[in-house]
Amino acid sequence: ELATSGAQVLNNRSVEMAKRYNVNMEVLSSLTGNPGTKVKEVVKTMEKTHVSGVAKDKNVARIALIGLADQPGMAFKIFSLLAKQNVNVDIILQSIGREETKDISFTVCQDDMERAKQVMLDNQDTIGFKSLEASDQVAKVSIVGAGMANNAGVACKMFEALFSASVNIHMISTSEIKVSVLVDERDAERAVQAI
């Protein structure tokens, strides 16, 4: 999770392969001959540690489709078009319907932003959105930890830290072991330090 979320320590593919084939892994410094950190399955004592690390990823872009019809199948239309173009989507946020319309925002890699934007504009009549907004001046900041699932208030503390540092949150994504937020790129480093 840390590697995928942007921690520049290990290549996420190498971690995925090590997990899949049960390969022992050790993170070592290339500058010293000191022993490193062994990466292995979580053990019970690890549950005491709520957050294992913080990561930031600046290779992110956000696309927002404004004024979609509030009807079934809208998400399918949008994301099937992107899947056909091999555009991977990360965080998705859908607003509640109001006045029979809703908005859907999602994040992609910066390299995919123009392609995703063009696919959406080329299919505007089919999808039926009123306007599109795109920005690559955003970053994803994540906390990762095995003990978060069973401990209330971890995300709240993260949000409090961001509030204290006057960092505005655009989108939030959560899982059992990760909480990610989308912030302005200029706030990313400050957000990491605050957390």
Side-chain angles (χ1 to χ4, degrees):
E1 286 284 358
L2 277 168
T4 304
S5 298
Q8 296 171 331
V9 178
L10 292 170
N11 178 283
N12 61 330
R13 186 86 174 121
S14 68
V15 179
E16 185 183 342
M17 289 295 105
K19 177 159 177 54
R20 183 174 294 173
Y21 297 107
N22 294 316
V23 174
N24 291 332
M25 192 187 231
E26 189 171 359
V27 184
L28 299 159
S29 169
S30 56
L31 305 174
T32 69
N34 297 336
T37 302
K38 290 182 180 166
V39 181
K40 57 185 180 180
E41 290 292 335
V42 173
V43 291
K44 288 179 183 175
T45 54
M46 282 292 290
E47 291 298 328
K48 295 174 185 171
T49 308
H50 301 329
V51 177
S52 307
V54 183
K56 78 167 183 276
D57 183 2
K58 291 187 175 180
N59 182 23
V60 180
R62 179 188 62 196
I63 295 174
L65 303 177
I66 315 296
L68 293 155
D70 187 17
Q71 62 188 35
M74 198 53 66
F76 169 69
K77 280 184 189 175
I78 294 163
F79 298 112
S80 62
L81 286 166
L82 292 169
K84 283 175 190 168
Q85 296 297 318
N86 292 319
V87 174
N88 284 326
V89 175
D90 185 15
I91 303 173
I92 301 170
L93 177 68
Q94 178 176 297
S95 69
I96 59 167
R98 61 187 184 283
E99 297 173 8
E100 297 184 3
T101 67
K102 61 186 172 188
D103 307 331
I104 292 182
S105 303
F106 56 92
T107 62
V108 295
C109 291
Q110 283 183 355
D111 292 346
D112 290 338
M113 183 180 87
E114 288 304 323
R115 192 154 44 108
K117 188 176 159 184
Q118 198 55 54
V119 170
M120 294 296 99
L121 292 172
D122 289 347
N123 292 278
Q124 186 168 3
D125 292 341
T126 309
I127 301 166
F129 58 89
K130 289 184 179 129
S131 63
L132 180 149
E133 293 175 8
S135 171
D136 59 1
Q137 300 299 302
V138 292
K140 181 173 71 169
V141 176
S142 307
I143 57 172
V144 175
M148 294 198 309
N150 300 316
N151 290 277
V154 176
C156 181
K157 286 177 185 170
M158 178 187 189
F159 303 149
E160 182 183 13
L162 294 172
F163 166 68
S164 299
S166 300
V167 174
N168 190 34
I169 300 171
H170 298 299
M171 299 170 83
I172 301 167
S173 172
T174 63
S175 73
E176 284 190 349
I177 64 167
K178 181 173 77 167
V179 179
S180 297
V181 294
L182 197 73
V183 300
D184 289 332
E185 189 174 22
R186 65 177 181 270
D187 293 335
E189 191 56 47
R190 197 154 43 90
V192 169
Q193 293 306 317
I195 293 165

